[in-house]
Amino acid sequence: MTKRIFKRKIYDKMKEWKSWSAGRYALMIEGARRVGKSTVAEEFARNEYQDYLIIDFSNVDEEVVRLFDHMSDLDRFFLRLQAFTGKSLPRRESVIIFDEVQFCPKARQAIKHLVRDGRYDYIETGSLISIRKNVKDILIPSEEHHLDMYPMDFEEFLEATGKKTKWDFIKSSFETLTPMGDDMNRHMMEEFRLYMLVGGMPQSVVAYLDYNDFAEVDRVKREILRLYDGDFRKLDPLGRASTIFSSIPAELSRNTMRYKVGSVIESARPNRLGELFADITDSRTVNIAYHADDPGVGMALHAHLDYFKMYLADTGLFVTLAFLDRDYTDNVIYRKLLSDRLPTDLGYVYENVVAQLLRSAGNNLYYYTFKDRVSEDTKPRVYEIDFLISQKDKICPIEVKSSGYKSHKSLDEFYKKFSSRIKSRYLLYTKDLRREGDLICLPVYMAGLL
């Protein structure tokens, strides 16, 4: 595949780090494997510094690794590093990248001394839970600034495919609450459905641009999923982590109020698998929405940690994972999404992509369920708010529809209970932007602007 460099939003955050840090903090970029951490780190080093050095700890000479056993004499350390790498870096004008730093915990521990020394800047990249697993016996440096890196959002996808001006139009429509127009909305939904199928993993986007072939895109996504499966099995040889991950589409398709661990692993309960779920969360391959027992600004204080929903961090991978046991040609989501005929029982694909876009925009994910009994003789009806996000000192309930269907009973009932806490109510669906009183109906591709 062609070597392509995509514009990523994290780049601007890295520039901010370089400016305010002035060498006082190393930068740690965390994210799932194949999300583009190494690429953006090297591109940043190439553009923003006079020179740079990359040490890839997943593929480096053992002698270089042993250098970090002795950090008491930094002059000697840098002389030996120069001898092994054949590179001499100008002071304060260079950056050293510790790529896949989880494979060398002592290099991460050394950051404290290297930053204090001050002659170079440092960027670390790390993947999966091994960052946390491999630091049990070392001193974690406080001189680290952390940035999370996510799969491409819809704006980045449009930029990568040469359609940035379309995003400018979307953003303007959102900011002014001006309808896109039916024709433009239909066109943007076509682009968004394409984004949902390809996903935001750089390799998948490259495959789409190079081959214009969904079969090739699907092959790339399957390779990434196999890589994740291998990582999970190293983490948990019993296969529970792999099973929990691969069961996400099936659990969402049940349309239940939470991820039921017991239906995936016999007799299992979340509170008994706490460390395993923490590891899966740390992998950055999933997004978790916790139930907010008391929906308000302090939702984190009232989150039910054993009551949650799980989504894949990348919807393109989600589409492939949902039909991983079948050939690409049997994947009905590709056909139905492309023809805009996604049935109701596949609406959870839209829920997954909204979770992805809200999370990459910096929102923590929560949802809420409640019951309302009309009378003593009737069975209480259960309502669900798909997502709750905080904005200033208020909350915003969000309901997701996989069609143009405008019913929003859950939002209405939620408003009756918590009107004083609400800033805005949002219905995300496939039709054009419109307002119904205080309810804002947004095309789903605007989710990343919330």
Side-chain angles (χ1 to χ4, degrees):
M1 289 188 290
T2 305
K3 175 69 174 179
R4 296 176 184 267
I5 303 296
F6 299 119
K7 184 177 180 179
R8 306 299 299 273
K9 290 181 178 179
I10 196 173
Y11 193 100
D12 290 334
K13 296 180 180 179
M14 295 169 71
K15 290 178 70 174
E16 292 175 5
W17 157 78
K18 183 176 185 289
S19 176
W20 66 257
S21 171
R24 293 176 291 121
Y25 289 86
L27 177 64
M28 166 66 85
I29 304 175
E30 295 182 87
R33 295 183 70 178
R34 302 293 176 86
V35 80
K37 302 181 303 298
S38 302
T39 299
V40 76
E42 183 172 4
E43 183 70 5
F44 184 81
R46 183 183 296 113
N47 295 338
E48 307 298 332
Y49 290 89
Q50 185 175 326
D51 205 351
Y52 66 96
L53 171 66
I54 298 178
I55 303 176
D56 181 358
F57 288 109
S58 68
N59 182 30
V60 68
D61 194 296
E62 186 62 30
E63 291 182 284
V64 174
V65 174
R66 285 198 292 268
L67 290 180
F68 293 90
D69 291 335
H70 308 284
M71 299 298 298
S72 57
D73 186 345
L74 290 183
D75 287 335
R76 181 174 176 79
F77 168 81
F78 283 115
L79 281 174
R80 296 179 67 193
L81 183 63
Q82 179 182 340
F84 281 123
T85 62
K87 196 150 192 177
S88 177
L89 301 173
R91 296 192 180 199
R92 293 308 317 143
E93 298 294 336
S94 305
V95 62
I96 297 178
I97 300 173
F98 290 168
D99 199 19
E100 304 290 2
V101 71
Q102 71 270 13
F103 293 116
C104 186
K106 288 186 177 180
R108 188 176 180 196
Q109 180 173 257
I111 284 293
K112 179 180 183 67
H113 309 289
L114 295 171
V115 167
R116 183 183 301 165
D117 172 70
R119 68 186 82 185
Y120 307 117
D121 283 357
Y122 298 90
I123 297 176
E124 306 165 87
T125 75
S127 302
L128 213 70
I129 39 73
S130 45
I131 281 185
R132 188 162 65 86
K133 287 291 185 182
N134 288 358
V135 295
K136 290 183 176 180
D137 300 320
I138 72 168
L139 179 67
I140 300 297
S142 59
E143 297 79 7
E144 282 181 343
H145 176 64
H146 289 245
L147 288 177
D148 289 325
M149 189 170 187
Y150 302 97
M152 290 182 185
D153 62 17
F154 187 44
E155 178 183 358
E156 290 173 313
F157 179 80
L158 289 177
E159 176 103 30
T161 54
K163 302 166 185 174
K164 177 64 168 63
T165 56
K166 294 181 179 180
W167 179 258
D168 296 335
F169 190 82
I170 291 172
K171 188 176 181 182
S172 175
S173 173
F174 173 82
E175 291 175 345
T176 60
L177 293 181
T178 303
M180 299 279 290
D182 289 340
D183 289 342
M184 179 59 75
N185 179 67
R186 278 193 295 271
H187 176 66
M188 292 315 307
M189 280 304 307
E190 291 174 2
E191 296 287 353
F192 189 68
R193 292 195 296 270
L194 174 63
Y195 166 69
M196 293 169 68
L197 293 175
V198 174
M201 303 301 281
Q203 283 182 297
S204 302
V205 178
V206 169
Y208 164 70
L209 293 174
D210 281 357
Y211 300 100
N212 194 35
D213 182 353
F214 279 129
E216 182 63 25
V217 172
D218 196 71
R219 184 192 66 78
V220 169
K221 291 190 291 179
R222 287 170 185 261
E223 289 180 357
I224 296 174
L225 289 170
R226 278 192 288 269
L227 180 68
Y228 288 175
D229 183 70
D231 287 333
F232 283 128
R233 292 186 182 278
K234 290 177 184 176
L235 162 70
D236 176 46
L238 296 177
R240 295 171 301 174
S242 177
T243 300
I244 289 170
F245 177 80
S246 61
S247 299
I248 291 175
E251 283 300 294
L252 286 177
S253 71
R254 298 181 202 277
N255 198 30
T256 57
M257 298 299 179
R258 60 189 170 96
Y259 187 105
K260 293 185 176 180
V261 182
S263 67
V264 177
I265 301 174
E266 186 175 358
S267 302
R269 296 181 179 178
N271 58 4
R272 295 179 182 176
L273 298 174
E275 184 175 356
L276 191 62
F277 274 104
D279 291 339
I280 294 172
T281 303
D282 284 347
S283 74
R284 303 297 198 274
T285 59
V286 302
N287 291 317
I288 296 185
Y290 292 101
H291 190 276
D293 290 347
D294 183 14
V297 175
M299 285 183 287
L301 300 175
H302 304 283
H304 197 318
L305 300 184
D306 293 334
Y307 208 93
F308 56 85
K309 289 189 173 184
M310 295 183 71
Y311 304 92
L312 256 68
D314 180 72
T315 302
L317 294 180
F318 180 93
V319 168
T320 295
L321 182 63
F323 290 84
L324 196 61
D325 59 337
R326 309 180 198 176
D327 185 74
Y328 151 74
T329 56
D330 295 325
N331 192 330
V332 298
I333 297 182
Y334 278 90
R335 300 196 303 272
K336 297 295 186 181
L337 257 182
L338 281 177
S339 60
D340 194 21
R341 295 176 181 174
L342 195 70
T344 303
D345 63 348
L346 292 178
Y348 54 84
V349 182
Y350 278 93
E351 192 175 334
N352 195 93
V353 77
V354 170
Q356 175 183 345
L357 295 178
L358 290 175
R359 189 70 190 95
S360 62
N363 297 289
N364 292 319
L365 302 180
Y366 300 96
Y367 71 106
Y368 185 67
T369 58
F370 59 102
K371 297 179 180 180
D372 181 36
R373 186 188 296 273
V374 178
S375 69
E376 292 296 328
D377 299 327
T378 61
K379 186 177 180 180
R381 178 173 178 178
V382 180
Y383 298 99
E384 179 176 353
I385 300 300
D386 293 321
F387 297 102
L388 286 170
I389 61 174
S390 298
Q391 288 186 355
K392 297 182 179 179
D393 60 343
K394 300 285 186 177
I395 59 173
C396 298
I398 299 170
E399 190 169 346
V400 182
K401 300 289 186 183
S402 60
S403 66
Y405 189 57
K406 303 181 183 66
S407 174
H408 41 79
K409 183 66 173 176
S410 293
L411 286 174
D412 294 340
E413 294 300 319
F414 185 82
Y415 183 79
K416 292 177 183 179
K417 293 172 66 69
F418 302 106
S419 59
S420 63
R421 305 183 186 186
I422 296 174
K423 180 179 183 291
S424 299
R425 296 186 297 155
Y426 293 103
L427 176 70
L428 298 181
Y429 68 153
T430 61
K431 297 300 183 181
D432 197 4
L433 187 152
R434 58 179 290 176
R435 298 195 68 164
E436 296 180 4
D438 69 320
L439 176 68
I440 303 174
C441 303
L442 295 177
V444 66
Y445 50 78
M446 292 185 180
L449 291 166
L450 295 176

